Amino acid sequence: MYQEISDPMKYHVALYIRLSKEDESEGPSQSVTNQKSLLDEFVKKQRLCVYDTYVDDGWSGTSFDRPDFNRMIGDIEAKKVNMVITKDLSRLGRDYILTGHYMERYFPEHQVRYISLLDGIDTGVESSANDITPFRAIMNDMYAKDISKKIKSVKHDKQRKGQFIGGKAPYGYKLHPTEKNKIIIDEPAASIVRRIFSMAYDGMSCHKIATQLNAEKVPSPATYAGLTIGNPGPYTGLWSSERISDMLSNEMYIGNMVQGRMVKISYKSKKCLRQAPDRWIVVEGTHEPIIDEETFRKVRLLVDSRRSTRSRTHDYLLKGLLVCHECGYPLSVLPRKNAAGEDYLYFVCRTYQRFTKQGVCSSHCIKEQLVTDAVLIKVREVCELYLTQEKLLPIAQEAMSQKKKQSSIEERRVALQSQIDNLASNIDKVYMDKLDGLLSDDDFARIYSRVKAQRDSLSEKLRELDRLEAAPKSEEDQAKELVQRFIENATISRELLVSLIERIELTADREVIIKFRIRPLEKIQDHQKVAG
């Protein structure tokens, strides 16, 4: 079939072998032993020097992220290999796009000769077999797609029948030792599950439950299952409130099989998409429950009611911009009282907050206003480089001219008075909620102070209109005043801050690092120490 290779001594050969579960269905001819025997016979006949044999046993051809394939590519990059031989093209891969990339671009660019024995492909010689290689790759891809559809159909059928098809049973269960697609109770883990539900039933929050388990050094589900984490984070191996909350809502613990939460994007990709709960496949009464339905229902009511009471959020200027410099996670904001009993917001590292006793990260506790003031000082300095009266005055004069055409002082007064009346009405409603017991004193004080500040600001604008009407200024003076107010107030605009700043990092030493998102400002990385 092949012409004799005229100069075998110049080649350092990589023999590549791949076998996946779907390939096994094609018969024993695809086995690793069979492939190796065929390749060894060829290199012996051609007197070729084999550098190494690369075997990926149990790896699908739809993905090129395979251990030994990557090792072979590394040896090609290091110029240790300049010839690759496979039994057939499908051993190289079944994704026709990537297969074509390696054959048409990568191998030629790295001066690697590729030979596929059964297909008659040899990129080192002119051959009609090489011309139809793209069509062979497409056929291999179609085969992989067809196999994927069949496997997916079988899995869905098993899910609808309530058979467990996962690789690892949920925490508290284990795979049945003899019956396939069935799970049974794993008593050591199940006792922890019962305890978690008991603590939640007694009113403990998910956060407190996680803290208690971590303090007792109870192995987390991933640790208990012996799973290896690819990219471990600062609290890998610890219980979290999210994990507890997920367990308390998992119907698997009352004997219902819940599957189909995640779906693969494509047979060529390992990435999965989370499905909405209404698309999950739930089959009731498929296995022995760990928790009775009444306890499960009451715990869900308790958790849901707590979630609604904790839905309050705090508004502040730097919201969504601050992260911990050490662990990289967003900072939380908490209301606290000072010595005088006044309410203030404080930034706290969320990682430290969740895993305090484990010593993960540090608190970073600092008053929100101090950080905000430090950031505004720096942003004001940056703005002053670009905002000057000379540049803004023509714009302001044009705006004043347009404004004069569009609205009168009287119309503005009516609009302001309407906003003030609405805020006063809101204060009345909040006060009635306090009297009815729907709102705590702390929440009332916080909301009242915010709404009152808005009302006072609008009242000041209304008084300013009265002064303008009593002593009208020239259009030029009004424009200058507008420019000055803009320069002074621009830096407290959240829209401006979000547009300028990519993120703000707070270090353990209370150092604020501002990273700007606009290219000319990228070099301005302010490192400012905050006291207090």
Side-chain angles (χ1 to χ4, degrees), residues 51-65:
Y51 176 77
D52 202 353
T53 300
Y54 305 83
V55 181
D56 282 318
D57 192 359
W59 291 85
S60 172
T62 58
S63 169
F64 278 78
D65 187 14

Side-chain angles (χ1 to χ4, degrees), residues 212-490:
Q212 180 70 23
L213 295 176
N214 287 327
E216 297 175 9
K217 299 190 182 303
V218 176
S220 68
T223 304
Y224 183 80
L227 300 178
T228 55
I229 309 299
N231 297 308
Y235 40 81
T236 297
L238 298 176
W239 289 88
S240 66
S241 57
E242 290 84 359
R243 165 60 66 185
I244 300 296
S245 177
D246 184 62
M247 289 177 62
L248 295 177
S249 63
N250 192 346
E251 291 186 26
M252 295 286 283
Y253 295 121
I254 58 173
N256 297 341
M257 187 65 69
V258 182
Q259 298 182 102
R261 295 186 179 193
M262 306 288 288
V263 174
K264 285 183 67 174
I265 295 175
S266 165
Y267 68 101
K268 295 183 180 181
S269 173
K270 294 181 181 179
K271 291 184 178 180
C272 296
L273 290 177
R274 185 176 295 276
Q275 296 289 92
D278 59 355
R279 301 190 66 178
W280 295 352
I281 300 174
V282 181
V283 182
E284 297 181 357
T286 59
H287 52 275
E288 185 180 355
I290 296 176
I291 305 299
D292 65 89
E293 291 191 28
E294 183 64 19
T295 300
F296 183 85
R297 184 184 67 82
K298 288 182 178 179
V299 166
R300 285 310 309 154
L301 289 174
L302 284 170
V303 173
D304 290 342
S305 65
R306 188 179 299 113
R307 182 177 298 157
S308 64
T309 61
R310 292 175 57 88
S311 62
R312 183 186 70 222
T313 58
H314 301 282
D315 291 323
Y316 52 97
L317 198 59
L318 304 181
K319 192 171 187 177
L321 295 175
L322 272 117
V323 298
C324 172
H325 177 70
E326 277 67 34
C327 69
Y329 283 83
L331 294 177
S332 294
V333 63
L334 300 175
R336 292 183 179 177
K337 293 184 182 296
N338 62 7
E342 300 169 322
D343 284 320
Y344 285 98
L345 295 180
Y346 284 81
F347 290 122
V348 180
C349 175
R350 190 164 184 263
T351 301
Y352 174 84
Q353 182 187 5
R354 296 169 67 195
F355 303 101
T356 305
K357 294 185 179 179
Q358 284 68 40
V360 180
C361 208
S362 58
S363 68
H364 294 67
C365 184
I366 188 171
K367 192 182 293 185
E368 175 266 335
Q369 193 59 52
L370 292 175
V371 179
T372 301
D373 291 344
V375 171
L376 291 182
I377 289 172
K378 186 60 189 179
V379 172
R380 192 172 292 116
E381 292 176 5
V382 172
C383 289
E384 287 175 354
L385 298 175
Y386 296 92
L387 300 178
T388 62
Q389 285 212 2
E390 291 75 14
K391 292 180 180 178
L392 293 176
L393 190 57
I395 301 174
Q397 288 175 331
E398 182 179 353
M400 290 294 297
S401 178
Q402 291 293 328
K403 190 70 175 177
K404 192 173 183 180
K405 296 177 183 178
Q406 293 172 3
S407 63
S408 65
I409 291 179
E410 183 59 32
E411 290 173 339
R412 291 167 63 190
R413 179 189 286 108
V414 171
L416 285 172
Q417 187 61 56
S418 176
Q419 293 179 55
I420 292 171
D421 292 342
N422 286 335
L423 290 175
S425 176
N426 289 339
I427 291 176
D428 293 340
K429 291 178 182 178
V430 171
Y431 182 69
M432 292 305 298
D433 287 344
K434 176 180 176 297
L435 293 180
D436 293 339
L438 300 176
L439 204 64
S440 67
D441 292 342
D442 289 342
D443 285 341
F444 171 75
R446 178 175 56 83
I447 296 172
Y448 174 77
S449 60
R450 176 165 55 83
V451 176
K452 184 176 181 299
Q454 294 175 357
R455 187 180 65 176
D456 292 344
S457 175
L458 293 175
S459 297
E460 178 59 32
K461 290 181 180 179
L462 188 60
R463 287 191 290 272
E464 186 179 343
L465 282 181
D466 293 336
R467 288 194 296 270
L468 286 175
E469 191 174 30
K473 298 179 181 178
S474 67
E475 191 170 296
E476 182 177 355
D477 290 339
Q478 292 181 43
K480 288 181 178 179
E481 185 177 329
L482 179 64
V483 168
Q484 187 59 38
R485 270 207 320 273
F486 176 78
I487 293 175
E488 292 173 355
N489 298 325

